[in-house]
Amino acid sequence: MKNTILRIKYVWLLMLLLMFIADLAKAQDYIKVTPEKGEGAFALLRRYNLDPTDYFEAFIELNKNKLGEDLSLKTGQTYLLPVKAESTSSPDNETGVFPIFGKDYEKIEFKDNSLQGAIFYIISGHGGPDPGAIGKKSGHTLCEDEYAYDIALRLARNLLEHNATVYLITRDPNDGIRDERYLKCDKDENCWGDKNIPINQTRRLRQRVDAINAISKKYESSYQRSVELHVDSRYEKQNVDIFFYYHPNSKKGKALNETLYKTIREKYKEVQPNRGYKGSVSARNLYMIRHANPVSSYIELGNINHERDQRRLLEVDNRQAIANWLTLGLIIDYENSRK
Ligand SMILES: [Zn+2]
């Protein structure tokens, strides 16, 4: 009897704790912003890439105690914005602000519409409690998940510049793009929807797949591609630069990965003609490729424990170059899909 009462008490406590955590997660769905002088609610929403048609009501609801007469904004006052996707909901914008890229990179100037209508899911491998492969260099610890995330952010930002809609599935709200050689290891990445990342591998991968597949339903007739980035050490002994993997039964997946591979090979030829580039494209039955609905590319960018690959990862310019070349490849794949 006593045991049962204790157990009930325990369950109650657990429920309260879960409710508390759920509340915290909800609070993180918003970012705090201050309006520029004379800026109204519509302009503020647009500056953060939120279409007023969809977000004005939510904005009023969130900020009802902070608005002046006629719903005007007060200078110096902080407002909450319901920021969700890295997407530009109004294609006429010339600039946008995306806080996920960090203070130095959050402002984006749109270059062209070459990826307008394309939907991308960018997944950096591991994250949260799992740092992935760990390398050492000059007394520093290199965590795979941090380097994969930095390149993922650079890639996502590039895609946005061409007016794509981008969903960053692995997210770290306080790590923007970092122009540093040594990226600090942390464990506060989350999964799309502010979900804590589980330590168990199967649950972690299922969480990502569920997030992607839930969003992808909205875009059923659109061009959708998912790109997952890793820097594992598994292939230490092989002298191969970048591995691309696609679903064994996906023709589009094969085409996507071959295009990415060729683009990178051409670029290496251009910038390092004597280097020789050994990449590989192959079919592989990986969980993420098998279960995610969009056409997928799973990329191993190198080995975080390998001297030569470390150079590719530690140099900021090299991380940016990889992101730029993948972007080029994705633009070509999108063009091909419309032929
Ligand atoms: Zn990995």
Side-chain angles (χ1 to χ4, degrees):
M1 183 64 189
K2 204 178 168 195
N3 254 342
T4 317
I5 290 171
L6 266 177
R7 204 170 297 146
I8 290 171
K9 270 192 182 159
Y10 179 69
V11 168
W12 263 108
L13 269 174
L14 198 71
M15 275 178 68
L16 279 175
L17 187 72
L18 282 175
M19 279 160 71
F20 178 64
I21 291 170
D23 244 28
L24 273 184
K26 218 160 67 195
Q28 286 164 7
D29 274 356
Y30 310 107
I31 58 159
K32 288 177 183 168
V33 296
T34 39
E36 283 170 1
K37 213 175 161 206
E39 194 169 43
F42 271 52
L44 180 71
L45 285 167
R46 271 200 214 99
R47 185 154 61 90
Y48 282 87
N49 329 298
L50 299 167
D51 191 335
T53 331
D54 300 328
Y55 289 95
F56 186 65
E57 265 178 56
F59 176 79
I60 299 299
E61 186 55 35
L62 269 174
N63 299 286
K64 52 190 169 200
N65 303 325
K66 302 173 182 171
L67 297 165
E69 278 175 40
D70 308 330
L71 305 176
S72 65
L73 307 183
K74 295 171 188 165
T75 315
Q77 170 73 56
T78 308
Y79 293 90
L80 297 177
L81 284 186
V83 167
K84 302 242 166 183
E86 279 69 53
S87 81
T88 55
S89 42
S90 51
D92 303 333
N93 277 1
E94 282 174 10
T95 59
V97 180
F98 301 85
I100 195 77
F101 300 116
K103 273 279 160 273
D104 294 341
Y105 286 97
E106 66 174 8
K107 287 205 179 77
I108 292 185
E109 276 181 43
F110 299 113
K111 290 180 174 165
D112 59 46
N113 287 326
S114 55
L115 288 174
Q116 192 173 11
I119 319 292
F120 294 99
Y121 305 88
I122 307 297
I123 312 130
S124 52
H126 312 278
D130 170 25
I134 291 179
K136 292 273 178 210
K137 175 85 178 172
S138 315
H140 294 269
T141 301
L142 314 175
C143 293
E144 177 190 353
D145 69 330
E146 303 296 337
Y147 286 88
Y149 184 63
D150 192 70
I151 297 168
L153 283 178
R154 291 170 194 273
L155 171 61
R157 192 174 184 279
N158 282 352
L159 299 174
L160 281 167
E161 285 180 334
H162 300 287
N163 230 334
T165 295
V166 181
Y167 291 89
L168 263 171
I169 301 301
T170 320
R171 311 172 67 82
D172 189 329
N174 59 16
D175 279 347
I177 290 176
R178 290 174 282 178
D179 286 335
E180 293 146 37
R181 250 177 104 72
Y182 297 107
L183 303 180
K184 205 179 111 248
C185 301
D186 62 25
K187 300 194 166 198
D188 59 354
E189 293 86 10
N190 62 38
C191 179
W192 177 263
D194 291 311
K195 297 210 167 75
N196 287 333
I197 297 176
I199 184 118
N200 174 283
Q201 196 197 9
T202 313
R203 284 179 54 212
R204 189 174 67 240
L205 300 184
R206 195 182 305 138
Q207 179 184 56
R208 285 164 199 204
V209 162
D210 286 350
I212 294 168
N213 290 350
I215 308 166
S216 72
K217 282 196 194 110
K218 276 199 296 189
Y219 302 104
E220 248 156 25
S221 55
S222 306
Y223 169 96
Q224 304 191 58
R225 296 292 182 270
S226 99
V227 178
E228 175 154 350
L229 303 177
H230 283 258
V231 202
D232 283 27
S233 55
R234 259 175 290 170
Y235 306 97
E236 209 165 343
K237 293 199 179 73
Q238 295 180 38
N239 184 23
V240 177
D241 282 316
I242 300 182
F243 297 84
F244 295 90
Y245 296 116
Y246 60 89
H247 190 293
N249 301 332
S250 172
K251 268 190 193 158
K252 287 179 180 171
K254 188 168 190 244
L256 164 70
N257 283 278
E258 278 173 353
T259 301
L260 293 175
Y261 162 75
K262 279 182 203 152
T263 311
I264 289 196
R265 193 185 56 193
E266 288 310 303
K267 282 288 159 186
Y268 265 124
K269 225 188 256 173
E270 235 175 86
V271 297
Q272 296 180 47
N274 302 319
R275 179 184 184 276
Y277 165 69
K278 299 188 188 76
S280 88
V281 186
S282 47
R284 208 172 149 202
N285 228 333
L286 292 160
Y287 185 99
M288 289 299 292
I289 305 181
R290 208 166 59 233
H291 293 281
N293 290 335
V295 174
S296 301
S297 174
Y298 184 109
I299 309 174
E300 291 280 5
L301 291 170
N303 172 0
I304 204 152
N305 278 306
H306 194 291
E307 179 85 35
R308 181 203 56 200
D309 292 0
Q310 282 179 347
R311 226 173 300 145
R312 182 187 306 145
L313 299 166
L314 297 184
E315 300 288 337
V316 174
D317 289 349
N318 292 351
R319 296 204 293 270
Q320 186 62 46
I322 293 172
N324 294 351
W325 300 349
L326 290 174
T327 305
L328 269 179
L330 290 171
I331 291 174
I332 297 171
D333 185 66
Y334 186 46
E335 279 168 6
N336 291 343
S337 79
R338 291 184 294 176
K339 274 178 192 162

